[in-house]
């Protein structure tokens, strides 16, 4: 509150310092007749100019605003009763102010002699001391008598008196019977001049029918002042009260320009009002109580609208209604309800029960047992909720937005934030213990790392920075930027690892992914398990798409599905089936059962119990095995082992193997569409006449050309470059072979054409031999 230490006042001329020793200028005016204490009526403007300056307890000018001030005029420097007062709202400028006394209540008169003193107080502060004497300028109000003053004092009348006077001047007397009703000024006869006439205390004078006699007041109080009017009291026109208003039984009005109405209400300060109900008190200037019972407006400009036992004790505080509500600080407000308390500056409790807005600009919308203990915090409603600095709790029960503030809880029960900038949407028993955490709802979820998120579910735990649990049941993120989308009891424990769902899955490699399934896990960087159960991808960039009990432990190894399959080396693949194994680099098992691709780029197409131990070899069938030496070999069939490289092996153990070429159901070892076949020891119908067109015999000179080509062709001995040197071959060099037998690109021999070419050579030689034999016979016959 402002304490006024001193005030510099200016009452016309001269200038006076409050608390100083300025002596008044005494101006005495004597009139021809009348007592010295008679008052002179103003004929000039009935106001005094009054200026001053307000200081606080430290000697500094008070803050500039509007202050309620009360001014009074006294005829003595201390004690006594004031002869005039009024209250004004005065604005200061650097502590300075200026008012016109009499602007609200006109100063109708001043004493003719003596000194007049000014008393002043600010708001509810005590009146300042000592009082300031009014200097001679104030007595300009009676200057209209100045022109007769000297005459009245220096030149009096002489001779016999006349009119209402008898005797002679200078000492005449009033003639008997001269004082009649018309000659007595209204109000001139005061109560002190009345004869008691034998009346006792509390009695009044009553007309007996012939005279005035003292008697008890049958309708007034013990003091003789009427407290009520029996019966109805009607006012046909406007009711105007120029004094203070007090209506109702035992109500009191001690404040200037105050108003009290109702039962046992009190308006104790300037411009205060208590206008309804019972037992209400307006104890500060400009305070008001509109109704209700036992309400108190104790702060400057405070108000209570109604209700019971409410208290607005702060400056500008307001309680609209309800029961036992309190608005304690500047601008605090309670809308209603009961036992609510707004004790921070501009704090608000809209309603409800036993709510507390303890800090500046805090708000409780309703509910019960809610509390805001940080500035700018808000609780919308619910039960037992708490909000700290700039935090928000929308509703629910027993929720707490704690920490350094700026957190929000939408609702639910027993949710808690302990760090700033956190959000919990709802649910129950959820908690955030790191800044910038977000928890959508669910139950018993917990975040203890910054920027982490849990969307919902039960018992989920996000403990990696910027990690996410979208939902599910008892899922956990244990490393930064990890994600568990859902499911139950899943764990993502390496940076950027992800579990999409499922049950009891774990993503342990950096950037690893387990999409779902049950008890699946990854242990390699960028490894993936798509689904299924009990699958494991531990190799870097390895993958298990699904199935059960599959393992991809090689780098970039893949198991597409099935059960019990293993990809154990780099780039190997098992497409499916059961208990297959690919343990050679880039080896493949397409499917089947218990197959094994154990060498680099080895392949087992399908079947069961097949094994490929040779590089770039292919095995298919049942219990077929390509050993280490069978590189680049294709082995198919049943129950056989091969070690031959660069071969195509069709074998069926001890059974006959049939090969159909263009035939769906072969009946021979090799059965070729068109009629050619192999019996196992020879070819039958090797040529196919039905497939040949434009057939013509090779004769005459064509045979000679064939012989000439043959004579020009070199036949060589050679070994193949990939042989071990044990097999020597005889053949043609392709580039020098006749055009009839060489391929168009000269990169090989056309076997069929070569056979035909040899047959043509043999036929030509036979014809030539026949001709030579005939000539030889002719020669021999000629000799004979």
């Amino acid at each position: 509150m402002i304490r006024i230490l001193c005030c510099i006042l200016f009452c016309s001329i001269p200038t006076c310092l409050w608390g100083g020793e300025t002596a008044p200028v005494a101006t005495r005016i004597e009139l021809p007749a009348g007592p010295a204490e008679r008052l002179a009526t103003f004929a000039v403007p009935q106001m005094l100019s009054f200026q001053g300056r307000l200081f606080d307890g430290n000697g500094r000018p008070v803050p500039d605003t509007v202050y309620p001030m009360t001014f009074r005029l006294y005829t003595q420097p201390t004690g006594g009763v004031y002869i005039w007062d009024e209250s004004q709202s005065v604005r200061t400028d650097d502590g300075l102010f200026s008012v016109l006394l009499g602007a609200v209540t006109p100063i109708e008169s001043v004493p003719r002699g003596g000194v007049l003193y000014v008393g002043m107080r600010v708001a509810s502060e005590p009146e300042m001391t000592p009082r300031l004497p009014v200097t001679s300028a104030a007595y300009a109000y009676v200057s209209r008598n100045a022109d007769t003053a000297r005459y009245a004092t220096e030149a009096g009348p002489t001779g016999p008196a006349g009119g209402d006077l008898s005797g002679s001047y200078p000492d005449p007397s009033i003639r008997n019977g001269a004082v009649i009703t018309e000659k007595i000024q209204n109000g001139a006869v005061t109560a002190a001049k009345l004869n008691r006439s034998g009346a006792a205390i509390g009695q009044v004078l009553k007309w007996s029918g012939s005279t005035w006699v003292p008697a008890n007041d049958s309708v007034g109080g013990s003091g003789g002042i009427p407290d009520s009017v029996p019966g109805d009291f009607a006012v046909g026109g406007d009711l105007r009260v120029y004094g203070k208003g007090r209506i109702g039984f035992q109500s009191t009005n001690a404040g200037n320009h105050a108003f009290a109405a109702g039962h046992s209400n009190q308006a104790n300060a300037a411009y205060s009002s208590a206008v309804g109900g019972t037992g209400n008190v307006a104890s500060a200037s400009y305070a008001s109580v509109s109704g209700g019972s036992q309400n108190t407006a104790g702060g400057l400009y405070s108000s209570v609208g109604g209700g019971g036992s409410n208290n607005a004790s702060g400056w500008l505080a307001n309680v609209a209604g309800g029961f036992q509500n309190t608005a304690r600080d500047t601008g605090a407000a309670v809308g209603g309800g009961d036992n609510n308390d707004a004790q921070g500056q501009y704090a608000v409790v809209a309603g409800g029960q036993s709510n507390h807005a303890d800090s500046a600009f805090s708000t409780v919308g309703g509910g019960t047992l809610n509390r805001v203990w940080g500035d700018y915090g808000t609780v919308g409603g619910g039960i037992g909720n708490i909000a700290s600095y700039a935090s928000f709790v929308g509703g629910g029960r027993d929720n707490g937005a704690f920490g350094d503030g700026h957190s929000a809880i939408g609702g639910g029960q027993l949710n808690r934030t302990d760090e700033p900038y956190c959000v919990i949407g709802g649910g129950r028993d959820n908690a955030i213990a790191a800044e910038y955490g977000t928890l959508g709802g669910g139950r018993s979820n917990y975040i203890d790392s910054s920027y982490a998120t849990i969307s919902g579910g039960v018992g989920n735990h996000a403990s990696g920075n910027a990690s996410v649990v979208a939902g599910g049941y008892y899922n956990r993120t244990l490393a930064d930027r990890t994600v568990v989308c859902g499911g139950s009891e899943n764990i993502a424990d390496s940076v950027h690892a992800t579990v999409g769902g499922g049950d009891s899955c774990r993503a342990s490699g950096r950037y690893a992914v387990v999409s779902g399934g049950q008890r699946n896990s990854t242990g390699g960087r960028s490894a993936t398990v798509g689904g299924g159960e009990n699958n494991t991808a531990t190799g870097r960039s390895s993958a298990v798409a699904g199935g059960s009990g599959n393992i991809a432990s090689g780098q970039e190894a893949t198991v597409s599905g099935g059960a019990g399959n293993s990809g154990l080396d780099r780039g190997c693949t098992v497409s499916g089936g059961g208990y297959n194994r690919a343990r050679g680099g880039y080896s493949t098992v397409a499917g089947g059962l218990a197959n094994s691709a154990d060498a680099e780029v080895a392949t087992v197409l399908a079947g069961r119990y097949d094994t490929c131990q040779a590089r770039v070899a292919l095995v298919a069938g049942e219990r077929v095995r390509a050993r280490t030496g069978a590189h680049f070999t294709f082995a198919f069939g049943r129950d056989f082992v091969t070690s031959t490289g660069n071969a195509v092996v069709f074998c069926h153990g001890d059974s006959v193997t049939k090969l159909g070429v263009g035939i769906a159901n072969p009946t021979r070892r090799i059965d070729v569409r068109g009629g050619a076949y192999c019996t196992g020891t020879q070819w039958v119908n090797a040529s196919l006449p039905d497939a040949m067109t434009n057939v013509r015999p090779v004769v005459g000179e064509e045979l000679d050309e064939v012989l000439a080509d043959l004579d020009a062709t070199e036949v060589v001995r050679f070994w193949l470059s990939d042989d071990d040197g044990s097999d020597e071959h005889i053949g043609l060099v392709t580039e020098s072979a006749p055009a009839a037998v060489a391929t168009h690109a000269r990169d090989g021999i056309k076997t069929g054409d070569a056979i035909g070419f040899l047959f043509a050579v043999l036929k030509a030689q036979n014809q030539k031999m026949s001709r030579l034999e005939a000539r030889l016979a002719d020669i021999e016959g000629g000799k004979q």
Side-chain angles (χ1 to χ4, degrees), residues 303-561:
S303 64
V304 177
S309 301
N310 298 308
N311 186 0
S313 59
W315 190 39
L316 299 172
N318 172 265
V319 178
F323 180 70
Q324 289 185 343
N325 298 309
T326 304
R328 301 175 185 270
D329 209 338
T330 301
V334 178
D338 67 272
N339 289 288
N340 297 309
D341 188 1
Q343 59 179 330
Q345 291 185 0
Y346 302 99
V348 175
V349 178
Q353 181 183 41
S354 300
N355 298 308
H356 295 266
D358 297 340
S359 301
F361 303 98
S362 59
T363 302
V364 178
T368 181
L369 298 172
N370 298 306
R371 181 181 293 271
V372 179
W373 63 21
D375 295 350
Y376 308 100
T378 301
V379 174
I383 302 174
N385 298 307
I386 298 175
S388 63
Y389 174 75
S391 293
F392 170 81
V393 177
R397 181 169 185 169
D398 299 321
N399 299 305
F402 303 114
D404 294 332
H406 303 286
S407 292
I409 299 176
Q413 183 177 6
L414 294 169
N415 298 308
R416 180 186 181 103
T417 62
D418 292 318
E419 294 294 333
Y421 309 105
C422 296
V423 176
I424 298 179
R428 179 173 178 174
D429 294 304
N430 298 306
I432 301 177
E435 60 183 2
Y436 300 100
T438 301
L439 208 160
R443 181 172 181 175
S444 301
N445 298 305
Y446 182 60
I447 294 175
D448 59 7
S449 295
S450 300
Y451 306 98
T453 300
I454 298 178
S455 300
V458 178
N460 297 307
H461 184 185
S463 61
N465 291 331
S467 63
V468 176
V469 178
Y473 186 84
Y474 290 102
N475 297 307
R476 300 181 68 188
T477 57
L478 303 179
D480 295 348
R481 297 177 290 281
T482 52
V483 177
V484 177
C485 296
S488 63
E489 299 183 357
N490 298 308
I491 298 174
D493 60 6
S494 295
V495 177
H496 296 289
T498 301
V499 178
D503 175 59
S504 301
C505 296
R506 185 165 193 148
S508 298
R510 192 180 183 98
Y511 305 104
V513 176
V514 177
S515 299
Q518 185 177 32
R519 294 186 297 275
N520 297 312
S521 64
T522 59
R525 181 186 179 103
S526 303
T528 302
V529 175
E533 63 178 339
N534 296 312
N535 297 309
T536 303
T538 58
R540 179 169 180 169
S541 302
S542 61
V544 177
S548 174
N550 299 307
I551 298 173
S553 60
Q555 182 175 340
E556 300 161 1
T558 301
V559 178
S560 299

Side-chain angles (χ1 to χ4, degrees), residues 436-747:
Y436 300 100
T438 301
L439 208 160
R443 181 172 181 175
S444 301
N445 298 305
Y446 182 60
I447 294 175
D448 59 7
S449 295
S450 300
Y451 306 98
T453 300
I454 298 178
S455 300
V458 178
N460 297 307
H461 184 185
S463 61
N465 291 331
S467 63
V468 176
V469 178
Y473 186 84
Y474 290 102
N475 297 307
R476 300 181 68 188
T477 57
L478 303 179
D480 295 348
R481 297 177 290 281
T482 52
V483 177
V484 177
C485 296
S488 63
E489 299 183 357
N490 298 308
I491 298 174
D493 60 6
S494 295
V495 177
H496 296 289
T498 301
V499 178
D503 175 59
S504 301
C505 296
R506 185 165 193 148
S508 298
R510 192 180 183 98
Y511 305 104
V513 176
V514 177
S515 299
Q518 185 177 32
R519 294 186 297 275
N520 297 312
S521 64
T522 59
R525 181 186 179 103
S526 303
T528 302
V529 175
E533 63 178 339
N534 296 312
N535 297 309
T536 303
T538 58
R540 179 169 180 169
S541 302
S542 61
V544 177
S548 174
N550 299 307
I551 298 173
S553 60
Q555 182 175 340
E556 300 161 1
T558 301
V559 178
S560 299
N565 297 309
S566 302
L568 307 178
D569 207 342
R570 181 168 186 170
C572 63
T573 301
V574 178
S575 299
Y579 304 99
N580 297 307
R581 179 182 65 189
R583 63 176 182 178
Y586 303 100
S587 60
T588 302
V589 177
L593 175 65
N595 299 307
S596 179
D598 298 336
E600 185 176 0
V601 201
T603 302
V604 177
L605 289 178
R608 57 183 178 175
Y609 310 117
D610 296 323
T611 302
C612 185
Q613 298 172 322
R615 293 182 293 107
V616 200
L618 186 149
V619 173
E622 183 178 43
R623 286 184 294 273
V624 176
R625 182 178 182 186
R627 289 181 173 173
T628 305
H631 305 310
F632 302 98
T633 291
F634 171 46
F636 173 77
R638 180 179 181 184
D639 295 319
F640 74 92
V641 178
T642 181
S643 299
T644 303
N646 303 296
V648 176
V649 180
F650 293 89
C651 185
H652 198 250
D654 296 332
S655 302
V656 175
T657 299
K658 299 179 178 65
L659 173 63
V661 180
I663 295 178
N665 299 296
T667 59
R668 302 174 177 85
R669 291 293 183 90
I670 301 177
D671 208 343
V672 181
R673 181 180 179 182
Y677 62 89
C678 179
T679 64
T681 57
Q682 63 179 354
W683 277 96
V684 179
N685 293 332
S687 64
L688 303 175
D690 56 343
M692 301 170 65
T693 59
N694 195 23
V695 177
R696 56 186 178 85
V698 179
V699 297
E701 295 178 355
E702 290 178 325
L703 294 174
D704 294 337
E705 292 177 1
V706 171
L707 288 173
D709 288 339
L710 183 59
D711 289 338
T713 300
E714 183 180 7
V715 180
V716 297
R717 293 178 178 272
F718 62 91
W719 289 273
L720 294 173
S721 59
D722 57 352
D723 285 345
D724 57 6
S726 60
D727 294 331
E728 186 177 29
H729 302 275
I730 298 176
L732 306 177
V733 178
T734 304
E735 288 76 8
S736 62
V741 298
T743 61
H744 180 72
R746 291 266 177 193
D747 55 2

Side-chain angles (χ1 to χ4, degrees), residues 188-209:
V189 180
T190 63
K193 297 298 182 179
L194 296 178
N195 191 294
R196 177 176 170 184
S197 301
I201 295 175
Q203 290 185 322
V204 297
L205 292 179
K206 293 187 176 182
W207 184 252
S208 65

Side-chain angles (χ1 to χ4, degrees), residues 126-140:
E127 186 175 271
M128 291 185 292
T129 58
R131 296 170 185 164
L132 178 70
V134 179
T135 58
S136 59
Y139 287 89

Side-chain angles (χ1 to χ4, degrees), residues 211-356:
T211 185
W212 290 97
V213 295
N216 292 328
D217 185 2
S218 61
V219 299
S222 62
I225 301 174
D227 289 330
S228 62
V229 177
D232 295 336
F233 180 73
V235 178
D238 295 339
L239 176 64
R240 300 180 182 180
V241 180
Y242 292 98
K244 295 187 295 183
R246 179 170 64 88
I247 303 173
F249 182 70
Q250 292 183 347
S251 293
T252 61
N253 184 350
N256 293 328
H257 306 287
F259 179 64
H263 185 283
S264 301
N265 294 322
Q266 300 178 38
N268 296 334
Y271 300 99
S272 63
S273 63
V275 297
T278 179
N280 299 308
V281 178
S283 59
S285 298
Y286 303 97
S288 66
V289 179
S290 300
S293 172
Q294 308 301 320
N295 297 308
T296 301
L300 190 67
Y301 299 103
S302 63
S303 64
V304 177
S309 301
N310 298 308
N311 186 0
S313 59
W315 190 39
L316 299 172
N318 172 265
V319 178
F323 180 70
Q324 289 185 343
N325 298 309
T326 304
R328 301 175 185 270
D329 209 338
T330 301
V334 178
D338 67 272
N339 289 288
N340 297 309
D341 188 1
Q343 59 179 330
Q345 291 185 0
Y346 302 99
V348 175
V349 178
Q353 181 183 41
S354 300
N355 298 308
H356 295 266

